[in-house]
Amino acid sequence: MARQRYNAYIGILPQSSLARIISESYTTPLGQLVIGTAIKKKLPSTSVVVFDPVRTCYKEMWGKIQDIQSKHKKVLVGLSLLSGNTEIGFQLAKNCADEGIDIIIGGSETVGYGAANIMKNRSYIKFGLDSLGERILPQIINGKPFEEIPGLSYRSNEEIKQTQPDLKFSRIDWLDIGVDYSILDNIGVNVGATYLTVNDCFMPINAV
C-alpha cells in the first residue's frame, strides 16, 4: 500500500573524526550530499538541506530544523552515525522525534552494528539503511511501500522488519551523480576542499 510522501528531507552529518583538516582546510564528507542530490534529482519538489555541524552550529541547526518543519507536513531527518558522534546523533534523533519528525539512520556505525540492532532499544528511530541511501531515500520519500524497498529496516507497529538488499548495486553508482552543493547549509563557512573518503584514502572531487 502506498504511503503519504515526505515533503522535506534534512541530512545531518554529526561532527566526527571524518570532519578532517586537510592542509588546514576543512573537508565535508560527500555521503549526505550525494543522498540529498539524488533526492533532488528524482523528486524535484522535495525540499532538501544538508547540515554539517562544522559549518552550522547545533543551536542554529535546530532552529532551522524547526523552521523547516513548520513549513512542511511531513519531514524526514537522515542521521549519519559515525565513530565518535553516535551519542550526539541519538540525542538529536530524540529531539526530532519529540517534535514529530521521522528519523532514518545510516553511516559507518549503522553498517558495523546493523540498523536493526541499533533500532532495537531506540523507539525514536523509524528507519535504518542496510543498503545505498541514494537509492533507498527517494523511494521512502515518494511513499513507496516499505516492504518493497530493498535494503531497508523499518518499524511496523512494535516490530522491526527488514528487506533484503539488492546486491547488484555498489557505491560506484555515486559517479553518476553530479553533487549539488547548493543543498549544503552555510556553504561559505569553513571553506575548503570536499573529498570522497574511501578507506582513509582521499580523492579530490570538487572545490567548495
Side-chain angles (χ1 to χ4, degrees), residues 130-132 135-136 139 144 146-152 163-167:
D130 297 312
S131 187
L132 306 181
R135 293 191 177 275
I136 293 173
Q139 296 179 75
K144 187 171 183 177
F146 304 146
E147 63 273 14
E148 297 178 13
I149 303 175
L152 178 67
T163 60
Q164 289 298 311
D166 189 336
L167 300 179

Side-chain angles (χ1 to χ4, degrees), residues 57-172:
C57 70
Y58 280 111
K59 183 177 180 180
E60 181 184 359
M61 184 192 304
W62 182 241
K64 289 182 177 182
I65 290 172
Q66 291 176 309
D67 182 59
I68 292 168
Q69 187 193 24
S70 72
K71 298 174 181 176
H72 299 281
K73 291 179 65 176
K74 287 199 67 167
V75 178
L76 180 63
V77 165
L79 284 171
S80 297
L81 299 180
L82 308 172
S83 177
N85 71 27
T86 303
E87 289 306 317
I88 296 173
F90 288 155
Q91 186 57 56
L92 188 56
K94 289 178 186 176
N95 293 343
C96 289
D98 287 344
E99 297 292 324
I101 299 172
D102 290 339
I103 301 296
I104 183 167
I105 57 170
S108 60
E109 295 292 279
T110 304
V111 172
Y113 290 99
N117 289 331
I118 294 175
M119 295 168 63
K120 189 174 182 180
N121 297 315
R122 298 177 176 90
S123 60
Y124 50 88
I125 300 174
K126 186 167 184 176
F127 306 106
L129 293 175
D130 297 312
S131 187
L132 306 181
E134 58 268 34
R135 293 191 177 275
I136 293 173
L137 265 299
Q139 296 179 75
I140 295 174
I141 290 169
N142 205 32
K144 187 171 183 177
F146 304 146
E147 63 273 14
E148 297 178 13
I149 303 175
L152 178 67
S153 292
Y154 63 96
R155 290 191 184 279
S156 178
N157 298 319
E158 298 301 315
E159 185 180 356
I160 297 174
K161 296 186 176 182
Q162 293 177 282
T163 60
Q164 289 298 311
D166 189 336
L167 300 179
K168 68 182 178 182
F169 296 118
S170 71
R171 285 293 177 194
I172 202 70

Side-chain angles (χ1 to χ4, degrees), residues 32-33 35-37 40 48-51 180-185:
Q32 286 284 4
L33 290 172
I35 289 172
T37 299
K40 288 298 293 182
V48 178
V49 63
V50 173
F51 290 116
D180 180 359
Y181 290 103
S182 70
I183 64 176
L184 179 60
D185 188 63

